[in-house]
Amino acid sequence: MEEKKLDLNSIIGFVLIFGILIWIMYQNQPTEAQVKADKAKKEQAATQTKKETAAAVPVAQDSVQKAQATAALGNFAYSAGLPSAKDTLTTLENELIRIQVANKGGQIISATLKNQERFKKGSKELVSLVENHNAQLNITLPTLDNRSLATKDLYFEPVLTKSGANQVLTLQLKSSATSFLEYQYVLKPNDYMLDFNIRSEGLQTVLNTSKPLAMDWELKPMRNEKGIAYENRYTDIRYKYEVDKFNNVSQGKDKEETIEKVSYVAFKQHFFSSILVADVPFNQVKLYSNNLVVDESKDTVYLKQFKATFPLAFSNGAINTKMNWYFGPTDYKTLKAYDKDLDQIIPLGWGIFGWINKFIFIPLFGFLSSFIAYGIAIIVFTILIKIAMSPITYKSFLSQAKMKVLRPEINELNEKFKKDAMKKQQETMKLYSKAGVNPMAGCIPALIQLPFMYASFQFFPSAFELRQKGFLWADDLSSFDEIVKLPFHIPLYGNHISLFPILAAVAIFFYMKMTSGDQQMAAPQQEGMPDMAKMMKMMIYISPLMMLFFFNNYGSGLSLYNFISNLITICIMIVIKRYVVDEKKIHAQIQENKLKEPKKKGRFQQKMQEMMEQAEAQKAAQKKK
């Protein structure tokens, strides 16, 4: 094989190729001018980028989540040129309320009551049910590509118009020119309630419409009254369901309920409420309540955390839900005027207690307070109630007087038949029958008065008209009448001393002192009576003390009512005992009744007699065995 060698021609070829490559690289090298020009262009581009970033900062500050929202919009169109791209507000206002609605989320971010002030002394701060991001409205939008968008992060286009005297705010979240989600708020003159409507158009090509949308409404009620514990006690979620039923979510930590056929949900505070009312009941609503007041002795901003989740159902691929939104006082007359059963959120008591409040207490007190001061109205109101109840009081004392007259004879029967309890009871009943005395007559009047007493405990804490109305040393009859501020906190009592509860406790003490003495004198001596008498004596001191602690943080209007009520009762007792009930005449009448034929026994007495005879017969039969 012949060995190949590198000849001269090959060497010359490689040298020429190498030289050509060096020449090409040299020719393509940028000149000094080109280098300077490129450098200048880079610096100019960097400067422009900084300017654009700086120019975008205000917009980004107006909407911190603008870029995120743009990316999350999916099929929803977004343009930086729309007015909704900025966090601007639209205001709806009438004589009673001022509402502010944000483009972002299309939700109410402020609801201020123009004629109501917070408890702070020396401050003209108005009551705001919504402010400082304590409320939120959000609808979760499931897209066809399995994403979820939150309306609270998206921007609506607002259009404010007028329809007669009504202000109409329409906000649209657009997917295109013909497909959108729309909120509409309508505020009427001199009204606390807005029309709130939600509808959609053309979104079936964007959203998954196979299931209802979930609308979440959240609120953290803010403190508006002087007493934290008192206000928090009356702050809860109340609702109407199944056409004519009413209930509330129990208070405490993390309370949840799921309710069917809900007509309205009220985030109720002591004297103010936010209520969402549906034209057509929601099929199912989830409610959540959480107590935020950990220590009632410390100041707080928020009382509770409320949340309600409503289903917005599609019909033919679209939503059309009509509602009302109430932001205003928890006042019986105001809520009653809407004719939507909103007054049921006020805890006036069930059954007869509620009837007494609705048909007696509210009309009577409303009439009196329409032309006299509220404190005087409470006094006059109490006097009228006690005068109306005086015949019942008289019956009670008359029965006690009769029992007192019969006591010596009853004691004789006790001594005579002390070894035979059944015989003793039979003879006692015969004595009552001959004398024409009903031992139950003293209990019945007291039972009749109980519903009125319980109704007052429901009426006065719910009386909105007493809010921030002063009387004597009390600057607010709906709250406690502090006369001394304590430098420490007493459990159950508080960090202040209220005067009206002290007066009420003193009146209760003297009332019980008088009545317990009469009852002990009237009651027959029986086995175990010394222990009973001792217990009654203890109650004379325990009851006023309990009432003192109970009322110290309650509204002074209720304490004033109880003070006047017991004072009047004491006066009526004195008058009846001294000038109406004559024990000598009663004794003579009883003796006269004994000579007459016994009256026909009542059904109760007849039944008792039969039971005693049966028991006596059984006892005799056992002895024979």
Side-chain angles (χ1 to χ4, degrees), residues 109-154:
I109 65 165
S110 175
T112 303
L113 306 184
K114 298 170 68 173
N115 300 322
Q116 304 295 334
E117 295 181 6
R118 285 202 166 115
F119 69 95
K120 295 181 180 178
K121 290 184 178 180
S123 172
K124 295 296 182 181
E125 183 179 347
L126 296 176
V127 171
S128 288
L129 301 184
V130 179
E131 67 172 341
N132 297 331
H133 307 289
N134 73 319
Q136 181 174 274
L137 178 71
N138 179 62
I139 299 177
T140 302
L141 304 175
T143 64
L144 291 174
D145 55 355
N146 296 322
R147 286 182 292 165
S148 292
L149 306 179
T151 59
K152 64 184 177 67
D153 297 325
L154 308 180

Short mmCIF file of all heavy atoms in Angstrom, two decimals, residues 109-154:
data_model
loop_
_atom_site.label_atom_id
_atom_site.label_comp_id
_atom_site.label_asym_id
_atom_site.label_seq_id
_atom_site.Cartn_x
_atom_site.Cartn_y
_atom_site.Cartn_z
N ILE A 109 -68.95 48.76 50.74
CA ILE A 109 -67.82 48.84 51.67
C ILE A 109 -68.07 49.85 52.79
O ILE A 109 -67.26 49.97 53.71
CB ILE A 109 -66.50 49.19 50.94
CG1 ILE A 109 -66.58 50.59 50.35
CG2 ILE A 109 -66.17 48.16 49.89
CD1 ILE A 109 -65.23 51.13 49.94
N SER A 110 -69.20 50.56 52.71
CA SER A 110 -69.54 51.49 53.77
C SER A 110 -71.06 51.66 53.81
O SER A 110 -71.69 51.88 52.78
CB SER A 110 -68.86 52.85 53.56
OG SER A 110 -69.28 53.79 54.53
N ALA A 111 -71.63 51.54 55.03
CA ALA A 111 -73.06 51.78 55.25
C ALA A 111 -73.18 52.57 56.55
O ALA A 111 -73.03 52.01 57.64
CB ALA A 111 -73.84 50.48 55.32
N THR A 112 -73.42 53.86 56.42
CA THR A 112 -73.44 54.77 57.57
C THR A 112 -74.84 55.32 57.80
O THR A 112 -75.47 55.81 56.87
CB THR A 112 -72.46 55.94 57.36
OG1 THR A 112 -71.14 55.42 57.12
CG2 THR A 112 -72.42 56.85 58.56
N LEU A 113 -75.30 55.23 59.04
CA LEU A 113 -76.61 55.76 59.41
C LEU A 113 -76.45 57.22 59.82
O LEU A 113 -75.75 57.52 60.80
CB LEU A 113 -77.22 54.94 60.55
CG LEU A 113 -77.31 53.42 60.31
CD1 LEU A 113 -78.01 52.73 61.47
CD2 LEU A 113 -78.02 53.12 59.00
N LYS A 114 -77.09 58.11 59.12
CA LYS A 114 -76.81 59.54 59.25
C LYS A 114 -77.39 60.17 60.52
O LYS A 114 -76.95 61.24 60.93
CB LYS A 114 -77.34 60.28 58.01
CG LYS A 114 -76.67 59.81 56.72
CD LYS A 114 -77.34 60.35 55.48
CE LYS A 114 -77.16 61.84 55.35
NZ LYS A 114 -77.67 62.33 54.05
N ASN A 115 -78.36 59.51 61.14
CA ASN A 115 -79.02 60.10 62.30
C ASN A 115 -78.76 59.33 63.60
O ASN A 115 -79.43 59.56 64.59
CB ASN A 115 -80.54 60.16 62.06
CG ASN A 115 -80.89 60.99 60.85
OD1 ASN A 115 -80.26 62.00 60.58
ND2 ASN A 115 -81.89 60.55 60.09
N GLN A 116 -77.77 58.42 63.58
CA GLN A 116 -77.48 57.62 64.76
C GLN A 116 -76.00 57.74 65.12
O GLN A 116 -75.14 57.62 64.24
CB GLN A 116 -77.83 56.14 64.52
CG GLN A 116 -79.27 55.90 64.10
CD GLN A 116 -80.26 56.26 65.18
OE1 GLN A 116 -79.94 56.25 66.37
NE2 GLN A 116 -81.49 56.59 64.78
N GLU A 117 -75.71 57.96 66.40
CA GLU A 117 -74.34 58.13 66.86
C GLU A 117 -73.92 56.96 67.74
O GLU A 117 -74.73 56.34 68.41
CB GLU A 117 -74.19 59.44 67.64
CG GLU A 117 -74.43 60.69 66.81
CD GLU A 117 -74.25 61.96 67.61
OE1 GLU A 117 -73.83 61.86 68.79
OE2 GLU A 117 -74.55 63.05 67.09
N ARG A 118 -72.61 56.71 67.74
CA ARG A 118 -72.04 55.69 68.61
C ARG A 118 -72.01 56.19 70.05
O ARG A 118 -72.26 57.34 70.34
CB ARG A 118 -70.64 55.32 68.13
CG ARG A 118 -70.66 54.45 66.88
CD ARG A 118 -69.36 53.67 66.73
NE ARG A 118 -69.52 52.62 65.73
CZ ARG A 118 -68.86 52.58 64.58
NH1 ARG A 118 -67.99 53.54 64.27
NH2 ARG A 118 -69.06 51.59 63.73
N PHE A 119 -71.66 55.27 70.95
CA PHE A 119 -71.76 55.54 72.38
C PHE A 119 -70.72 56.53 72.88
O PHE A 119 -70.85 57.05 73.98
CB PHE A 119 -71.60 54.24 73.16
CG PHE A 119 -70.20 53.68 73.10
CD1 PHE A 119 -69.27 53.95 74.09
CD2 PHE A 119 -69.79 52.88 72.03
CE1 PHE A 119 -67.99 53.43 74.02
CE2 PHE A 119 -68.52 52.36 71.96
CZ PHE A 119 -67.61 52.64 72.95
N LYS A 120 -69.68 56.80 72.12
CA LYS A 120 -68.54 57.58 72.63
C LYS A 120 -68.97 58.97 73.07
O LYS A 120 -69.60 59.71 72.32
CB LYS A 120 -67.46 57.68 71.55
CG LYS A 120 -66.83 56.34 71.21
CD LYS A 120 -65.75 56.49 70.17
CE LYS A 120 -65.11 55.14 69.82
NZ LYS A 120 -64.08 55.26 68.78
N LYS A 121 -68.59 59.33 74.30
CA LYS A 121 -68.93 60.64 74.82
C LYS A 121 -68.08 61.71 74.14
O LYS A 121 -66.89 61.52 73.89
CB LYS A 121 -68.70 60.69 76.33
CG LYS A 121 -69.70 59.86 77.13
CD LYS A 121 -69.47 60.03 78.62
CE LYS A 121 -70.49 59.25 79.43
NZ LYS A 121 -70.26 59.41 80.88
N GLY A 122 -68.69 62.86 73.89
CA GLY A 122 -67.96 63.97 73.28
C GLY A 122 -67.61 63.73 71.83
O GLY A 122 -66.83 64.49 71.25
N SER A 123 -68.15 62.68 71.24
CA SER A 123 -67.85 62.37 69.85
C SER A 123 -69.14 62.35 69.05
O SER A 123 -70.18 61.90 69.51
CB SER A 123 -67.15 61.02 69.74
OG SER A 123 -67.01 60.63 68.39
N LYS A 124 -69.05 62.84 67.83
CA LYS A 124 -70.20 62.82 66.92
C LYS A 124 -70.03 61.73 65.87
O LYS A 124 -70.52 61.84 64.76
CB LYS A 124 -70.35 64.19 66.23
CG LYS A 124 -70.69 65.32 67.19
CD LYS A 124 -72.05 65.13 67.84
CE LYS A 124 -72.41 66.27 68.76
NZ LYS A 124 -73.72 66.10 69.41
N GLU A 125 -69.34 60.67 66.23
CA GLU A 125 -69.09 59.58 65.30
C GLU A 125 -70.39 58.83 65.02
O GLU A 125 -71.08 58.38 65.93
CB GLU A 125 -68.05 58.62 65.89
CG GLU A 125 -67.66 57.49 64.96
CD GLU A 125 -66.61 56.58 65.57
OE1 GLU A 125 -66.02 56.96 66.59
OE2 GLU A 125 -66.39 55.50 65.00
N LEU A 126 -70.71 58.73 63.75
CA LEU A 126 -71.96 58.09 63.35
C LEU A 126 -71.83 56.57 63.36
O LEU A 126 -70.72 56.02 63.24
CB LEU A 126 -72.37 58.55 61.95
CG LEU A 126 -72.71 60.04 61.80
CD1 LEU A 126 -73.00 60.37 60.34
CD2 LEU A 126 -73.90 60.43 62.68
N VAL A 127 -72.95 55.90 63.50
CA VAL A 127 -72.98 54.43 63.46
C VAL A 127 -72.77 53.98 62.02
O VAL A 127 -73.49 54.39 61.11
CB VAL A 127 -74.33 53.89 63.98
CG1 VAL A 127 -74.44 52.40 63.71
CG2 VAL A 127 -74.47 54.19 65.46
N SER A 128 -71.77 53.15 61.81
CA SER A 128 -71.51 52.55 60.50
C SER A 128 -71.59 51.03 60.66
O SER A 128 -70.79 50.44 61.39
CB SER A 128 -70.13 52.96 59.96
OG SER A 128 -70.13 54.31 59.57
N LEU A 129 -72.54 50.44 59.99
CA LEU A 129 -72.67 48.99 60.06
C LEU A 129 -71.64 48.29 59.20
O LEU A 129 -71.26 47.15 59.47
CB LEU A 129 -74.08 48.57 59.65
CG LEU A 129 -75.22 49.18 60.49
CD1 LEU A 129 -76.56 48.63 60.05
CD2 LEU A 129 -75.01 48.92 61.97
N VAL A 130 -71.20 48.98 58.14
CA VAL A 130 -70.14 48.44 57.28
C VAL A 130 -69.07 49.51 57.17
O VAL A 130 -69.34 50.64 56.75
CB VAL A 130 -70.67 48.09 55.87
CG1 VAL A 130 -69.54 47.56 55.00
CG2 VAL A 130 -71.79 47.05 55.97
N GLU A 131 -67.84 49.17 57.51
CA GLU A 131 -66.70 50.08 57.37
C GLU A 131 -65.41 49.32 57.67
O GLU A 131 -65.43 48.26 58.31
CB GLU A 131 -66.83 51.29 58.30
CG GLU A 131 -66.72 50.98 59.77
CD GLU A 131 -66.65 52.24 60.62
OE1 GLU A 131 -66.33 53.31 60.07
OE2 GLU A 131 -66.94 52.16 61.83
N ASN A 132 -64.31 49.88 57.20
CA ASN A 132 -62.99 49.32 57.49
C ASN A 132 -62.89 47.82 57.19
O ASN A 132 -62.32 47.04 57.96
CB ASN A 132 -62.60 49.58 58.95
CG ASN A 132 -62.48 51.04 59.27
OD1 ASN A 132 -62.16 51.86 58.40
ND2 ASN A 132 -62.77 51.42 60.51
N HIS A 133 -63.49 47.41 56.07
CA HIS A 133 -63.38 46.03 55.57
C HIS A 133 -63.94 45.00 56.55
O HIS A 133 -63.46 43.87 56.63
CB HIS A 133 -61.92 45.69 55.25
CG HIS A 133 -61.25 46.66 54.34
ND1 HIS A 133 -61.56 46.76 52.99
CD2 HIS A 133 -60.31 47.61 54.57
CE1 HIS A 133 -60.83 47.71 52.45
NE2 HIS A 133 -60.07 48.26 53.37
N ASN A 134 -64.96 45.39 57.33
CA ASN A 134 -65.57 44.42 58.25
C ASN A 134 -66.65 43.57 57.57
O ASN A 134 -67.23 42.69 58.21
CB ASN A 134 -66.17 45.13 59.46
CG ASN A 134 -67.45 45.88 59.12
OD1 ASN A 134 -67.53 46.52 58.06
ND2 ASN A 134 -68.44 45.84 59.99
N ALA A 135 -66.92 43.85 56.28
CA ALA A 135 -67.94 43.09 55.55
C ALA A 135 -67.41 42.70 54.18
O ALA A 135 -66.51 43.37 53.62
CB ALA A 135 -69.23 43.90 55.41
N GLN A 136 -67.98 41.64 53.62
CA GLN A 136 -67.55 41.19 52.29
C GLN A 136 -68.67 40.42 51.61
O GLN A 136 -69.38 39.64 52.24
CB GLN A 136 -66.32 40.29 52.41
CG GLN A 136 -65.78 39.78 51.08
CD GLN A 136 -64.49 39.01 51.24
OE1 GLN A 136 -63.41 39.59 51.27
NE2 GLN A 136 -64.60 37.70 51.36
N LEU A 137 -68.82 40.69 50.31
CA LEU A 137 -69.74 39.94 49.47
C LEU A 137 -68.94 39.31 48.34
O LEU A 137 -68.18 40.00 47.67
CB LEU A 137 -70.82 40.86 48.89
CG LEU A 137 -71.82 40.19 47.95
CD1 LEU A 137 -72.75 39.27 48.73
CD2 LEU A 137 -72.63 41.23 47.18
N ASN A 138 -69.09 38.02 48.16
CA ASN A 138 -68.32 37.33 47.13
C ASN A 138 -69.14 36.21 46.50
O ASN A 138 -69.85 35.48 47.19
CB ASN A 138 -67.03 36.75 47.71
CG ASN A 138 -66.22 36.00 46.67
OD1 ASN A 138 -65.77 36.59 45.69
ND2 ASN A 138 -66.04 34.70 46.87
N ILE A 139 -69.04 36.10 45.18
CA ILE A 139 -69.63 34.98 44.45
C ILE A 139 -68.50 34.20 43.78
O ILE A 139 -67.66 34.79 43.09
CB ILE A 139 -70.64 35.46 43.39
CG1 ILE A 139 -71.79 36.21 44.05
CG2 ILE A 139 -71.19 34.28 42.59
CD1 ILE A 139 -72.78 36.79 43.07
N THR A 140 -68.48 32.90 43.99
CA THR A 140 -67.47 32.05 43.36
C THR A 140 -67.98 31.64 41.98
O THR A 140 -69.07 31.07 41.85
CB THR A 140 -67.20 30.82 44.22
OG1 THR A 140 -66.77 31.23 45.52
CG2 THR A 140 -66.12 29.95 43.59
N LEU A 141 -67.17 31.93 40.95
CA LEU A 141 -67.56 31.66 39.56
C LEU A 141 -66.75 30.48 39.02
O LEU A 141 -65.55 30.62 38.74
CB LEU A 141 -67.30 32.90 38.69
CG LEU A 141 -67.98 34.20 39.14
CD1 LEU A 141 -67.53 35.37 38.25
CD2 LEU A 141 -69.49 34.07 39.11
N PRO A 142 -67.34 29.30 38.87
CA PRO A 142 -66.61 28.16 38.31
C PRO A 142 -66.63 28.23 36.77
O PRO A 142 -67.69 28.29 36.15
CB PRO A 142 -67.42 26.96 38.81
CG PRO A 142 -68.81 27.50 38.98
CD PRO A 142 -68.70 28.95 39.29
N THR A 143 -65.46 28.23 36.15
CA THR A 143 -65.38 28.33 34.69
C THR A 143 -65.44 26.95 34.06
O THR A 143 -65.27 25.93 34.72
CB THR A 143 -64.07 29.03 34.28
OG1 THR A 143 -62.96 28.22 34.68
CG2 THR A 143 -63.96 30.39 34.94
N LEU A 144 -65.67 26.94 32.76
CA LEU A 144 -65.74 25.68 32.04
C LEU A 144 -64.40 24.97 31.96
O LEU A 144 -64.36 23.76 31.72
CB LEU A 144 -66.28 25.92 30.62
CG LEU A 144 -67.76 26.34 30.53
CD1 LEU A 144 -68.12 26.70 29.11
CD2 LEU A 144 -68.66 25.22 31.05
N ASP A 145 -63.30 25.72 32.14
CA ASP A 145 -61.97 25.08 32.13
C ASP A 145 -61.49 24.77 33.55
O ASP A 145 -60.29 24.77 33.83
CB ASP A 145 -60.95 25.96 31.39
CG ASP A 145 -60.88 27.36 31.97
OD1 ASP A 145 -61.68 27.66 32.88
OD2 ASP A 145 -60.04 28.14 31.51
N ASN A 146 -62.49 24.54 34.46
CA ASN A 146 -62.22 24.05 35.82
C ASN A 146 -61.40 25.02 36.67
O ASN A 146 -60.55 24.61 37.46
CB ASN A 146 -61.51 22.68 35.77
CG ASN A 146 -62.38 21.62 35.16
OD1 ASN A 146 -63.59 21.58 35.38
ND2 ASN A 146 -61.78 20.75 34.35
N ARG A 147 -61.64 26.29 36.49
CA ARG A 147 -61.04 27.28 37.39
C ARG A 147 -62.15 27.94 38.20
O ARG A 147 -63.32 27.86 37.86
CB ARG A 147 -60.28 28.34 36.59
CG ARG A 147 -58.96 27.86 36.01
CD ARG A 147 -58.25 28.98 35.30
NE ARG A 147 -58.98 29.39 34.09
CZ ARG A 147 -58.73 30.52 33.44
NH1 ARG A 147 -57.81 31.35 33.89
NH2 ARG A 147 -59.41 30.82 32.36
N SER A 148 -61.76 28.60 39.29
CA SER A 148 -62.71 29.32 40.13
C SER A 148 -62.26 30.77 40.25
O SER A 148 -61.13 31.04 40.66
CB SER A 148 -62.80 28.69 41.52
OG SER A 148 -63.41 27.42 41.45
N LEU A 149 -63.16 31.68 39.89
CA LEU A 149 -62.88 33.10 40.00
C LEU A 149 -63.72 33.68 41.15
O LEU A 149 -64.84 33.24 41.38
CB LEU A 149 -63.22 33.83 38.71
CG LEU A 149 -62.57 33.29 37.43
CD1 LEU A 149 -63.03 34.10 36.23
CD2 LEU A 149 -61.05 33.33 37.54
N ALA A 150 -63.16 34.63 41.86
CA ALA A 150 -63.85 35.27 42.98
C ALA A 150 -64.21 36.70 42.60
O ALA A 150 -63.33 37.49 42.23
CB ALA A 150 -62.97 35.26 44.23
N THR A 151 -65.49 37.03 42.66
CA THR A 151 -65.91 38.37 42.27
C THR A 151 -65.29 39.45 43.15
O THR A 151 -65.13 40.60 42.71
CB THR A 151 -67.44 38.50 42.32
OG1 THR A 151 -67.90 38.22 43.66
CG2 THR A 151 -68.11 37.55 41.36
N LYS A 152 -64.93 39.12 44.38
CA LYS A 152 -64.34 40.12 45.27
C LYS A 152 -63.00 40.62 44.73
O LYS A 152 -62.53 41.70 45.13
CB LYS A 152 -64.17 39.56 46.68
CG LYS A 152 -63.20 38.39 46.79
CD LYS A 152 -63.18 37.83 48.21
CE LYS A 152 -62.26 36.62 48.31
NZ LYS A 152 -60.85 36.97 48.11
N ASP A 153 -62.36 39.86 43.82
CA ASP A 153 -61.07 40.26 43.25
C ASP A 153 -61.19 40.89 41.87
O ASP A 153 -60.19 41.32 41.30
CB ASP A 153 -60.15 39.03 43.15
CG ASP A 153 -59.83 38.43 44.51
OD1 ASP A 153 -59.72 39.21 45.47
OD2 ASP A 153 -59.72 37.20 44.61
N LEU A 154 -62.40 40.92 41.32
CA LEU A 154 -62.61 41.40 39.96
C LEU A 154 -63.26 42.78 39.97
O LEU A 154 -63.82 43.22 40.97
CB LEU A 154 -63.47 40.40 39.18
CG LEU A 154 -62.98 38.94 39.21
CD1 LEU A 154 -63.91 38.06 38.41
CD2 LEU A 154 -61.55 38.84 38.69
#
